[in-house]
Amino acid sequence: METIMQIVFVPIGIASLGLILSLIFKGIDRRIAARFQARVGPPLVQPFRDIMKLMLKETIVPENCVRWVYESAPIIALVGSLMLLLYIPMGPFNAPLGNFGDLILVLYLFTIPSLAMVAGGFASGNPYATIGAQREMVMMMSYELPLAMLAAATAWKVTSFSIAKISSTVIWSTVGPLGLVGILLLLVVVLSVAPAELVKIPFDAPEAETEIAGGLLVDYSGRNLALFYLSDAVKSFAFASLIVALFFPFKLGTTIWGEFLWFLLKVLIVMIVSVTTVRVAAARLQIDNIAGYYWKPIALVSLAALALIAIDTAVVI
Amino acid sequence: MPTPAFFELVKQILSKPVTNLFPSKYAPASIKKFLKKGKINPPIKTPDKFRGKLIYEKDKCIGCGMCVRVCPSSAMELVGEPPKRKIKHYVSRCTFCAICTEVCPVKCLHMSDEFLLADFDKHSENLIVG
Amino acid sequence: MSKTVNIPIGPVHPALKEPVRFTIEVEGEKVVGADYEVGYVHRGIEWAGMRQNPIKTIHLSERICGICAFCHPLCFVQAIEEIGDVEVPERAEYIRVITAELERIHSHMLWAGVAAHEIGFDSILNLTWNIREKVMDIVEYITGNRVTYGMLQIGGVRRNITEKQYPKIREATQYYRELLDKIEDVFLRDPTIRMRSRDVGILTKKRALELCAVGPTARASGVPKDVRQDFPYIAYPDLDVKAIMPEEPIGDVYDRIFVRIREIGQSADIIEQCLDQMEPGPILAEQNVAKLLADLQNFEGEAVGRAEAPRGEVFHYVRMNKNEAPLSWKARAPTYNNVQTWPDMIVGEELADVPIIVASIDPCVSCTDRVTLIKDGKEEIVTGEQLHKLSVLKTKRVMRR
């Protein structure tokens, strides 16, 4: 009986908690972005209202689309993002599926929402969406290498791909000075991948409102759009939680709820640093610049980080 | 992202926002309740030469019809027969150029500072002067 | 394998503020062909202007363009004044210059925000529009309205700028001069903006001359074209105006940003010069509007009025023949010249650059558009000869009346 409870209700609870938290975080993100721009900004509950409004609107399906792909893409995207929450530990709470998957699985789960968007974009048959889907694929290919380096480097150090293991060891304390530099570089890499992973300015070429009118999402409306919106919010939250789990697993040593709040605060700070401040302070880059940026400097930096950590591990042992 | 724009933005986050809220905090669910606790943000003050809704002194008007001739949007209409001829002004058509106040030989037309003129009916009592 | 795809942009598109349609031929992300199509708006302003007295038309011409709401009536009024030999008092001419230059500041700030928005930099949009509020306040303070000023009258201006108002205007010009460094920092020294605007949408000097580009678009390509300098009107002969050009003009989007930002400083200088040189005196040649209306019925002849709007040269042609309404009125907005440069700039660039290139000439499509006649729903190509025939017909029609 207990196992059924665990299998059914814990994931549902975590998913709904994750949904609510990510929408609140989206509200905070919008509010802070507005304050950067000297605006008052929307109230914190605005994302909830947006979802509600989109749910009430008519869902239009274009005539010449591949209907089943078009309709299932948003659901796959949302399920993919919610799955992430089951693998990433939320501060003091261990991930319910933490024992069944590892960092590599999580990194591949991150591509599922993007792939679903690409599929939906192609399926909608709109030229803007096609261009957006092409751009999204180019971008995914560009930032995959740095992310793979991230997984390799952390696993090299901790000698395990398990996130539970990684987040239970404070990675900074296990290394010498060389490794410290390596981990710092790794942090820079992962923070600069974040806006691209989450399709935010300056790397929002696939959606590019003023160029291709919303790109991938141009034909989506109503419920389908709401699901994509939710999946975007959840994915941002999950990515920030992953960064916290990998790099900042520091504990306060208080009660379990205190730890949880501390974890949320860390996620918020990571989100503000890597997404909000970047997206208000930059213009949108062209897709070839984005690819160049990830293939040249960022890939080099991640390789250097991997090499440094490898050398450090060899020296320490 | 240490760009010049970024420092500007950091400066902005530390100062007060420059936009003002819409004249009520949110769209109220119930008007009655809203008015009871109501904190209505007052409209912004208008400058001296502001051109708002027209004020018409009907008694002074001699019905010469000059304003009707110069009104660019034909918002004026003559009503009645000569000695008692007066004008009728449709605010919903008015472009607030104030040329009628200049052409009037007896100065019976003035501009007020009233600008909250939205209405559901363009022929409502509020939007017809004279 | 090279396969090209046609991508339609417009008539309704988030990057375009007004209806214009582009057909962009892309190969991957690269643009290999571009064509534009205007003619989606027809407002009949000229038609209305030819059926009412010029005093009404002043206010109508303000509404040709919401942003050049001073330049269009200024051209019209200048043309009428030339027809009727109306002597404009000197103070009125200075007040006209001040309003025109305030309008230039506000238009350029507005454009800067829109351009930033096109490349996805919304923080700069908010920043510049916040700065722009100051000049809007001054315009409202002087004329009584933020957008359509209602400032002009045949033979002068309708509102005086009193001595009491000088300090506030000076304060605003000072504010802009101090902010200029900041604006340049934010725009010209920002790495992402530089990346998106340097060497993008190049219009060479040769092509700019061939296509008769005007205004900042021409100046950024190195053509020293400025009506204020070449054919000084109103009080500009007494003022120090020089066409602003980049030191080494390339003619890309970056240069067009540069020219516009420098012109904000230039406008602030001109306004201060005006305040210094202005002497008290009358502001209107004919106080009595009723008498003016009667005088207008005796005007006969034709004239053109031209002015340097924030976007380039505005040109109005008016013909009167002792009638209350003008016989002919033709308004040409600067965008009419500048739209021709679009295909030149767009071809060879990335698809992502199309919105910023389109925005870089500061297009004002509704001011430019005239009616397009389509017979039987078929597209038709009009040859030069046919155009000539049409213009002969029109001239005959104008002369006959």
Side-chain angles (χ1 to χ4, degrees):
Chain A
M1 203 58 201
E2 218 169 75
T3 45
I4 292 176
M5 280 287 280
Q6 268 181 352
I7 289 168
V8 177
F9 290 106
V10 172
I12 291 178
I14 289 207
S16 36
L17 181 71
L19 273 179
I20 293 168
L21 279 175
S22 22
L23 283 179
I24 292 174
F25 272 55
K26 202 176 176 78
I28 297 175
D29 165 75
R30 282 173 68 174
R31 186 92 182 177
I32 290 177
R35 292 294 288 108
F36 265 120
Q37 299 171 342
R39 291 186 288 127
V40 178
L44 284 187
V45 292
Q46 191 62 42
F48 293 93
R49 289 183 183 156
D50 288 352
I51 293 286
M52 210 167 82
K53 192 186 82 179
L54 284 174
M55 288 290 187
L56 291 173
K57 293 248 174 184
E58 186 191 355
T59 307
I60 298 164
V61 179
E63 228 169 57
N64 56 347
C65 71
V66 187
R67 196 175 173 124
W68 65 274
V69 183
Y70 181 85
E71 295 257 42
S72 56
I75 299 168
I76 295 172
L78 181 60
V79 170
S81 344
L82 286 176
M83 286 277 281
L84 281 166
L85 294 177
L86 305 184
Y87 286 100
I88 301 170
M90 284 203 195
F93 304 118
N94 279 331
L97 297 180
N99 299 327
F100 303 102
D102 53 19
L103 187 55
I104 295 183
L105 175 74
V106 167
L107 288 183
Y108 277 93
L109 274 180
F110 267 112
T111 58
I112 285 188
S114 316
L115 280 177
M117 276 170 85
V118 168
F122 275 129
S124 70
N126 186 305
Y128 292 135
T130 312
I131 290 176
Q134 284 166 357
R135 288 180 177 183
E136 173 80 43
M137 290 205 300
V138 169
M139 220 164 76
M140 268 160 61
M141 281 184 255
S142 328
Y143 63 66
E144 256 346 273
L145 178 71
L147 275 185
M149 290 298 134
L150 165 81
T154 39
W156 199 305
K157 192 72 237 174
V158 191
T159 62
S160 163
F161 276 119
S162 153
I163 299 184
K165 181 104 187 286
I166 296 172
S167 65
S168 60
T169 39
V170 178
I171 198 167
W172 306 88
S173 62
T174 59
V175 290
L178 264 186
L180 208 63
V181 177
I183 295 176
L184 268 178
L185 288 182
L186 219 51
L187 183 63
V188 170
V189 168
V190 76
L191 287 183
S192 52
V193 169
E197 179 77 57
L198 308 172
V199 199
K200 294 276 150 60
I201 289 171
F203 305 113
D204 75 332
E207 278 169 26
E209 183 216 337
T210 48
E211 286 164 19
I212 48 175
L216 295 166
L217 303 176
V218 65
D219 266 346
Y220 278 100
S221 57
R223 196 192 64 242
N224 288 337
L225 189 61
L227 292 182
F228 271 132
Y229 189 95
L230 273 177
S231 111
D232 169 57
V234 173
K235 206 175 148 190
S236 318
F237 182 74
F239 201 76
S241 325
L242 181 69
I243 296 177
V244 168
L246 294 187
F247 291 96
F248 309 106
F250 312 114
K251 293 243 160 43
L252 272 187
T254 53
T255 59
I256 197 159
W257 290 109
E259 286 293 339
F260 188 59
L261 286 180
W262 171 235
F263 162 78
L264 289 184
L265 185 69
K266 284 189 289 189
V267 171
L268 184 63
I269 290 170
V270 166
M271 210 156 115
I272 290 169
V273 169
S274 66
V275 176
T276 315
T277 51
V278 177
R279 94 180 160 100
V280 296
R284 183 185 305 121
L285 298 180
Q286 283 144 271
I287 189 70
D288 51 340
N289 289 343
I290 296 176
Y293 175 71
Y294 281 117
W295 276 115
K296 286 168 205 157
I298 295 295
L300 279 181
V301 169
S302 61
L303 278 174
L306 179 64
L308 282 173
I309 288 173
I311 294 167
D312 182 74
T313 319
V315 169
V316 170
I317 290 165
Chain B
M1 284 260 141
T3 58
F6 181 65
F7 292 116
E8 249 352 282
L9 299 177
V10 172
K11 242 184 260 168
Q12 284 190 348
I13 205 172
L14 299 174
S15 49
K16 239 181 107 213
V18 288
T19 50
N20 22 8
L21 289 171
F22 191 75
S24 71
K25 200 172 179 194
Y26 309 119
S30 150
I31 299 282
K32 263 189 198 164
K33 261 189 217 161
F34 171 72
L35 286 178
K36 255 179 212 163
K37 65 175 177 181
K39 182 192 147 219
I40 300 174
N41 301 334
I44 297 164
K45 210 180 149 279
T46 53
D48 301 342
K49 293 175 183 170
F50 187 79
R51 309 192 289 273
K53 185 180 167 184
L54 201 66
I55 298 172
Y56 174 44
E57 294 170 44
K58 206 168 184 175
D59 307 339
K60 264 165 110 183
C61 181
I62 53 171
C64 65
M66 278 312 288
C67 46
V68 180
R69 277 193 69 194
V70 295
C71 182
S73 55
S74 313
M76 306 273 193
E77 190 186 39
L78 279 174
V79 280
E81 282 308 308
K84 280 186 179 174
R85 207 157 63 161
K86 301 286 172 190
I87 62 157
K88 210 171 186 182
H89 173 64
Y90 299 92
V91 182
S92 54
R93 281 196 73 114
C94 182
T95 58
F96 306 100
C97 64
I99 191 84
C100 49
T101 63
E102 273 167 35
V103 77
C104 184
V106 289
K107 300 288 167 217
C108 69
L109 293 166
H110 307 279
M111 299 309 257
S112 69
D113 60 355
E114 193 184 338
F115 67 92
L116 290 167
L117 298 169
D119 208 316
F120 288 107
D121 176 17
K122 61 181 175 182
H123 295 299
S124 78
E125 211 155 281
N126 193 22
L127 295 186
I128 293 179
V129 178
Chain C
M1 189 187 87
S2 73
K3 196 176 156 235
T4 58
V5 181
N6 276 338
I7 294 197
I9 294 187
V12 181
H13 187 276
L16 304 168
K17 306 289 172 270
E18 285 170 291
V20 52
R21 182 191 162 94
F22 290 91
T23 314
I24 310 270
E25 203 182 346
V26 290
E27 199 186 305
E29 286 269 325
K30 202 151 200 82
V31 179
V32 290
D35 195 11
Y36 69 90
E37 193 183 314
V38 289
Y40 286 91
V41 236
H42 172 56
R43 298 184 292 175
I45 284 191
E46 284 169 0
W47 185 89
M50 285 186 255
R51 274 153 189 83
Q52 61 185 27
N53 64 52
I55 291 180
K56 284 185 177 187
T57 308
I58 295 171
H59 300 284
L60 181 67
S61 62
E62 266 181 0
R63 279 145 182 96
I64 291 177
C65 178
I67 301 166
C68 315
F70 194 76
C71 292
H72 279 286
L74 180 60
C75 283
F76 179 74
V77 162
Q78 277 180 319
I80 300 273
E81 278 159 5
E82 203 185 313
I83 293 171
D85 280 328
V86 181
E87 191 75 22
V88 181
E90 212 182 318
R91 189 178 175 84
E93 295 200 326
Y94 278 108
I95 293 175
R96 283 178 179 184
V97 172
I98 291 175
T99 325
E101 294 302 323
L102 285 173
E103 181 184 86
R104 194 180 315 280
I105 295 178
H106 114 68
S107 172
H108 283 346
M109 293 308 304
L110 180 123
W111 174 82
V114 171
H117 174 68
E118 302 288 3
I119 55 174
F121 210 152
D122 281 355
S123 304
I124 302 286
L125 165 78
N126 286 301
L127 188 74
T128 45
W129 283 29
N130 180 12
I131 296 170
R132 173 171 169 261
E133 276 309 301
K134 183 90 183 173
V135 71
M136 298 305 279
D137 285 349
I138 293 296
V139 167
E140 196 182 25
Y141 180 62
I142 294 173
T143 70
N145 225 339
R146 275 164 63 97
V147 182
T148 39
Y149 315 121
M151 191 73 167
L152 283 164
Q153 180 59 284
I154 293 161
V157 290
R158 287 168 59 193
R159 288 176 198 80
N160 200 353
I161 297 178
T162 54
E163 297 269 345
K164 256 196 232 158
Q165 290 174 320
Y166 286 11
K168 216 165 166 181
I169 301 171
R170 276 185 207 280
E171 188 203 318
T173 53
Q174 197 57 35
Y175 172 80
Y176 280 104
R177 199 143 338 128
E178 279 163 15
L179 271 179
L180 214 56
D181 278 341
K182 188 167 118 183
I183 302 170
E184 276 189 20
D185 255 359
V186 164
F187 264 95
L188 302 180
R189 289 189 261 289
D190 188 272
T192 45
I193 292 187
R194 213 188 154 84
M195 205 188 254
R196 289 300 304 273
S197 61
R198 210 38 165 162
D199 294 323
V200 167
I202 293 179
L203 181 71
T204 55
K205 185 172 179 179
K206 186 167 158 277
R207 285 302 281 165
L209 281 169
E210 280 171 7
L211 294 167
C212 296
V214 291
T217 314
R219 291 199 280 278
S221 296
V223 184
K225 218 182 202 180
D226 191 326
V227 186
R228 294 175 292 171
Q229 169 199 286
D230 303 340
F231 306 95
Y233 52 102
I234 44 180
Y236 284 113
D238 305 337
L239 300 165
D240 182 26
V241 190
K242 264 244 135 68
I244 285 185
M245 289 194 297
E247 277 142 31
E248 286 168 17
I250 301 177
D252 54 5
V253 175
Y254 185 85
D255 280 346
R256 293 195 266 278
I257 299 177
F258 177 88
V259 166
R260 288 202 171 90
I261 290 177
R262 282 294 159 85
E263 281 187 10
I264 295 172
Q266 185 193 33
S267 292
D269 286 346
I270 294 174
I271 292 168
E272 292 206 347
Q273 279 181 38
C274 284
L275 291 179
D276 290 339
Q277 293 179 14
M278 220 154 65
E279 274 164 22
I283 54 159
L284 204 53
E286 176 56 69
Q287 293 284 344
N288 191 342
V289 186
K291 186 154 177 295
L292 180 68
L293 208 53
D295 285 350
L296 278 171
Q297 304 212 354
N298 298 323
F299 283 15
E300 190 177 19
E302 61 179 350
V304 296
R306 54 210 299 185
E308 181 76 12
R311 296 164 164 77
E313 183 191 359
V314 179
F315 175 97
H316 279 222
Y317 166 81
V318 184
R319 186 186 174 91
M320 310 258 298
N321 68 340
K322 296 204 176 191
N323 202 338
E324 201 182 58
L327 183 58
S328 178
W329 175 37
K330 169 80 192 158
R332 200 213 63 201
T335 310
Y336 183 76
N337 295 32
N338 285 340
V339 285
Q340 324 279 347
T341 63
W342 270 336
D344 252 60
M345 292 191 230
I346 292 172
V347 172
E349 301 293 346
E350 302 270 317
L351 179 64
D353 292 327
V354 172
I356 178 69
I357 295 172
V358 168
S360 73
I361 68 158
D362 203 353
C364 208
V365 178
S366 300
C367 321
T368 306
D369 262 5
R370 300 292 177 265
V371 69
T372 317
L373 282 178
I374 296 176
K375 283 175 193 157
D376 316 326
K378 266 184 262 165
E379 272 187 41
E380 218 178 292
I381 296 170
V382 184
T383 58
E385 277 166 37
Q386 281 171 313
L387 272 179
H388 181 247
K389 215 185 263 172
L390 280 174
S391 72
V392 168
L393 272 178
K394 176 156 188 182
T395 315
K396 269 185 190 157
R397 202 172 68 227
V398 170
M399 302 295 281
R400 195 167 58 233
R401 271 204 260 170

